Amino acid sequence: MKSIYTVPNILTACRFAIVPVLLFMLQPDRGNVVALAAFFLFLSGALTDLADGYLARKYGIESVLGKLMDPLADKMLVATPLIMLIPMGRIPAWVSLLIISRELAVTGLRGLAAASGIVVSASGLGKIKSVFQYTALCILIFPLGLLPLPFLHDLGRIILYVSLLLTLWSGFDYFVRLKNIYLTSAPDA
């Protein structure tokens, strides 16, 4: 029996632990010190997302638990600032709704596919989408008062809009790939 206490699973668990702390830190008017701490906390969570899958594959320590929990941790880590930055006026609610809705739809499709014994792996497009989401959210979390860059959050919103397009595109791509797998694996009528 494989141990569940692997570095990739521990990194995934860390992302779950980051979420409630981010909820606390990403409140309006917390000040620059707390906002900067939230930035570094979110950045560290994003980096663990990039590291855990790589380490699991490189060292052959992929686990069923990791395959289940990793995408869930990623979605919770992204959804937290998507929601918490709305009242601060940094993210339009409709953008957050579309991104979170896509994530829930893909999670549901993954569950249906898994119940049928079908695995649809993450695509390169999905990985690029994640990098854009993490980049945009890092910029939008970063406190404006620390750097003389008044356009910083505008840049973050532009990157977020690009990530929204990538999010919708990768969601559609996932649906099409799953449909094609179902069609090719279905018995002839």
Side-chain angles (χ1 to χ4, degrees), residues 18-105:
I18 286 171
V19 168
V21 179
L22 275 176
L23 278 171
F24 173 76
M25 295 174 119
L26 290 176
Q27 300 289 324
D29 304 322
R30 286 279 191 208
N32 284 345
V33 173
V34 174
L36 188 60
F39 164 79
F40 282 113
L41 187 62
F42 182 79
L43 177 62
S44 67
L47 293 175
T48 67
D49 178 25
L50 299 175
D52 65 2
Y54 169 78
L55 292 172
R57 285 183 296 280
K58 181 175 181 176
Y59 294 106
I61 50 177
E62 294 174 292
S63 67
V64 173
L65 178 67
K67 288 179 182 179
L68 175 67
M69 300 310 281
D70 177 64
L72 184 57
D74 301 345
K75 286 165 183 40
M76 289 180 65
L77 183 67
V78 168
T80 301
L82 280 173
I83 293 168
M84 299 307 291
L85 293 173
I86 293 170
M88 294 181 206
R90 296 186 192 172
I91 296 178
W94 66 269
V95 172
S96 294
L97 177 67
L98 286 174
I99 291 173
I100 292 169
S101 295
R102 178 269 186 203
E103 298 299 344
L104 291 172

Side-chain angles (χ1 to χ4, degrees), residues 2 6 12 36 42 56 69 79 86 92 116 125-126 129 177 179 189:
K2 288 185 176 180
T6 62
T12 297
L36 188 60
F42 182 79
M69 300 310 281
I86 293 170
S116 300
L125 183 58
K129 173 249 346 165
R177 288 187 301 130
K179 182 182 90 107

Side-chain angles (χ1 to χ4, degrees), residues 96-154:
S96 294
L97 177 67
L98 286 174
I99 291 173
I100 292 169
S101 295
R102 178 269 186 203
E103 298 299 344
L104 291 172
V106 167
T107 299
L109 288 173
R110 271 198 179 118
L112 286 172
S116 300
I118 297 172
V119 176
V120 182
S121 61
S123 68
L125 183 58
K127 293 179 189 315
I128 293 168
K129 173 249 346 165
S130 293
V131 169
F132 272 83
Q133 283 179 350
Y134 286 137
T135 301
L137 292 170
C138 278
I139 292 170
L140 290 165
I141 291 169
F142 194 86
L144 276 181
L146 295 182
L147 295 174
L149 301 171
F151 60 86
L152 189 63
H153 287 168
D154 293 331

Side-chain angles (χ1 to χ4, degrees), residues 102 105-106 109 120 168-182:
R102 178 269 186 203
V106 167
L109 288 173
V120 182
L168 297 175
W169 182 15
S170 67
F172 178 75
D173 175 67
Y174 187 87
F175 174 78
V176 168
R177 288 187 301 130
L178 181 62
K179 182 182 90 107
N180 289 338
I181 290 170
Y182 265 116

